[in-house]
Amino acid sequence: MVNLYYLKELSGGSTEFEIEMIQLFLNNVPIDLSRLELALKDSDFHTAKAIAHKIKSSFHIMGIDDTAAHLDELKKLLDNNEINDAINLWVKIDKRFWRVYPTLFRMIEDY
């Protein structure tokens, strides 16, 4: 589900850095997901792909690699103008984020 190995490697053992990165993820990704939804609904594929690319790395840093892969897939769907499939995949990505949110929030509390 969540694997913070990469984040811990990046932090060099700094728990402050790890907490800050998790907080940034929890604060910024909901905004980016909302922006992504709006871009998809407006058929603004360029913006949607840029947002997907941005948050893909955030999911990767948090070790949520399946969702990072879904974001790659979303970009490919947009390249092929498969908007309905892209919207369906966005729903899956959004649900996944909200499933891992409590886990990451608890991790911050446990540091």
Side-chain angles (χ1 to χ4, degrees), residues 14-93:
S14 170
T15 56
E16 290 174 5
F17 176 81
E18 293 168 16
I19 290 169
E20 183 178 342
M21 293 300 292
I22 295 169
Q23 287 173 329
L24 284 170
F25 180 80
L26 295 176
N27 292 336
N28 293 337
V29 170
I31 295 165
D32 290 331
L33 286 172
S34 293
R35 289 178 53 231
L36 178 57
E37 178 185 25
L38 183 59
L40 289 170
K41 287 181 178 179
D42 290 344
S43 297
D44 184 353
F45 300 155
H46 178 75
T47 298
K49 287 192 296 187
I51 295 166
H53 180 75
K54 175 188 172 199
I55 61 177
K56 174 190 157 198
S57 61
S58 299
F59 278 95
H60 178 67
I61 289 169
M62 294 298 130
I64 310 168
D65 294 326
D66 59 332
T67 305
H70 287 322
L71 287 157
D72 267 340
E73 183 180 344
L74 180 83
K75 291 190 299 184
K76 290 175 187 170
L77 290 170
L78 293 172
D79 283 337
N80 294 323
N81 291 320
E82 298 177 45
I83 188 65
N84 289 334
D85 290 339
I87 290 171
N88 290 335
L89 188 54
W90 171 86
V91 169
K92 188 175 186 176
I93 292 164

